[in-house]
Amino acid sequence: MLESVGMLEKGLRMVLKPGCRRYVVVPLLLNLVVYSLLIGWLFTQFGGWMDYWMAQVPAWLSWLEWLIWPLVVVSLLIVAFYTFNLFATLIAAPFYGFLAERLDEELTGRPINDSRSLTRQALDSLGRELKKLGYFLPRVAVLIVIGFIPVINVAAPFLWALFSAWSMAIQYLDYPMDLHRVSFTDMRGRLRTKWWQSLTFGGVVTLGLMIPLVNLLMMPAAVAAAVMMWNRHYCALLPHDAKSVQKSAR
């Protein structure tokens, strides 16, 4: 965890240097607009959501209301955080792809061999975000369903927290992996292989992203930290796709 915090701190300094700022300022301004709109909407809806969910608590569990109430609050805040992060990352994806490329070249001293046009790279970044969205949404749906099931829904905040850490690891570590042509399947395999580093990184990023306004700078800092994590922990791993081929050959 300390490693992740240190990399995020270093990453924030890196993205604020000349040459990187343009990949930070534009999505930052766009996300400020989205952030303001979502926060306003959240304040108008939050009270109604709380009343609805507390009304679902069975009478025989009313004595646990002191525990259930904060769990419901945490669950709603995590869902709100996840919604904001979804919109923010879709907006910023093309910029953060270029940012990851710039930072990787700076850290390794080697240029990325990519013959695609800037437009093609931006479109491919959006396509990769949609692929991640297709991975996340079914799992989010399962967690939402769990939130409706009495008794079991007490575990929902803990499941949301674990999923948030895993999804943030996927979200940001995918930038350098996509840059180096690591497939989506291979990327998830590498994250599972280094599961402790992946979850601690994703957990620290999740906590940072839940702090209003700080989260807007946390996103580019997380991209920079992910590039460092890639070079330190993941790039030397045997591709997960290659492992699958080897197993099937046996």
Side-chain angles (χ1 to χ4, degrees):
M1 183 172 289
L2 290 177
E3 178 188 43
S4 298
V5 173
M7 285 188 175
L8 284 166
E9 182 184 358
K10 183 179 178 181
L12 181 58
R13 294 198 300 269
M14 291 177 67
V15 300
L16 294 179
K17 293 193 305 184
C20 293
R21 291 176 190 161
R22 62 178 177 272
Y23 302 120
V24 176
V25 173
V26 175
L28 177 64
L29 294 175
L30 292 173
N31 282 326
L32 273 173
V33 175
V34 175
Y35 183 79
S36 300
L37 293 173
L38 285 177
I39 286 294
W41 179 71
L42 180 62
F43 273 112
T44 61
Q45 300 295 320
F46 195 79
W49 290 342
M50 283 300 302
D51 292 341
Y52 172 80
W53 283 106
M54 292 308 297
Q56 307 308 307
V57 177
W60 60 276
L61 282 178
S62 59
W63 63 279
L64 278 178
E65 188 169 324
W66 64 273
L67 174 62
I68 295 173
W69 191 89
L71 291 177
V72 171
V73 170
V74 171
S75 295
L76 289 175
L77 288 176
I78 290 175
V79 172
F81 147 76
Y82 196 86
T83 302
F84 166 74
N85 187 69
L86 172 62
F87 282 105
T89 50
L90 284 175
I91 291 170
F95 301 96
Y96 290 163
F98 297 137
L99 177 63
E101 181 176 355
R102 177 64 181 261
L103 293 171
D104 190 85
E105 291 178 353
E106 182 177 329
L107 287 172
T108 63
R110 299 187 300 272
I112 301 296
N113 184 19
D114 194 339
S115 60
R116 295 175 298 169
S117 66
L118 292 179
T119 302
R120 183 71 261 171
Q121 290 181 54
L123 290 174
D124 288 347
S125 293
L126 285 174
R128 186 81 165 203
E129 290 301 317
L130 293 175
K131 184 174 290 187
K132 283 185 275 189
L133 186 60
Y135 175 84
F136 294 146
L137 286 181
R139 290 157 179 81
V140 169
V142 170
L143 289 173
I144 291 173
V145 170
I146 289 174
F148 279 94
I149 303 174
V151 182
I152 296 177
N153 58 8
V154 173
F158 305 103
L159 295 175
W160 272 109
L162 183 61
F163 175 72
S164 294
W166 176 245
S167 63
M168 288 303 99
I170 289 177
Q171 180 62 55
Y172 289 98
L173 288 165
D174 184 57
Y175 285 113
M177 296 204 196
D178 184 32
L179 183 66
H180 289 275
R181 299 294 192 274
V182 175
S183 72
F184 191 68
T185 300
D186 185 3
M187 179 268 296
R188 288 184 285 118
R190 294 186 191 219
L191 263 59
R192 284 193 295 269
T193 300
K194 294 282 187 174
W195 64 270
W196 176 249
Q197 290 86 349
S198 301
L199 286 178
T200 52
F201 172 74
V204 172
V205 171
T206 298
L207 291 174
L209 289 175
M210 295 185 77
I211 303 173
L213 299 181
V214 171
N215 54 6
L216 297 175
L217 285 175
M218 178 61 68
M219 289 187 285
V223 174
V227 173
M228 289 182 271
M229 292 283 287
W230 156 258
N231 283 288
R232 180 174 297 185
H233 294 295
Y234 300 97
C235 66
L237 294 177
L238 180 66
H240 186 264
D241 295 341
K243 289 181 181 179
S244 300
V245 170
Q246 289 176 358
K247 287 179 181 178
S248 62
R250 292 173 189 168

